[in-house]
Amino acid sequence: MTVSKRIDEVTDKLEDVAAGELKDLSASGGPLVNAGLGALRATMSGKNPVWAALKGAWSGASTKTKVIVVLCLVLILLLAPVVLVVLLLGLLVAAIVAAVRSATR
């Protein structure tokens, strides 16, 4: 048996042990633990750790937290057009004031 084959076998065994322990830890952990473990798993498999951390945090969050997050997102989507209209009106008023000031000088 060559050295590279032996190293591959040992690496596979270590990955199996780590995967089993990570599953046990994620079952008992909260959103931060799940986010960290998701990022770690993604990094080890060559995927995007940020997206995996977000998914892990979401899966570890309580139902109350999930409801609050969804309600906040819906509220933001509903109020975004109002904020945009107020911003545009403010810019319009500023332009009118600037035009009047420059005309009176």
Side-chain angles (χ1 to χ4, degrees), residues 1-16:
M1 180 177 284
T2 64
V3 174
S4 64
K5 287 183 182 179
R6 184 67 182 148
I7 290 174
D8 289 340
E9 288 178 6
V10 170
T11 305
D12 291 339
K13 286 181 183 178
L14 285 174
E15 287 175 356
D16 292 341

Side-chain angles (χ1 to χ4, degrees), residues 11-67:
T11 305
D12 291 339
K13 286 181 183 178
L14 285 174
E15 287 175 356
D16 292 341
V17 169
E21 290 179 5
L22 290 178
K23 287 179 184 177
D24 295 340
L25 185 59
S26 69
S28 64
L32 291 177
V33 172
N34 283 341
L37 292 176
L40 181 64
R41 281 189 201 116
T43 302
M44 289 189 331
S45 63
K47 296 180 182 175
N48 185 357
V50 175
W51 186 247
L54 288 173
K55 287 174 25 178
W58 184 258
S59 69
S62 67
T63 305
K64 181 180 177 182
T65 304
K66 289 179 183 180
V67 168

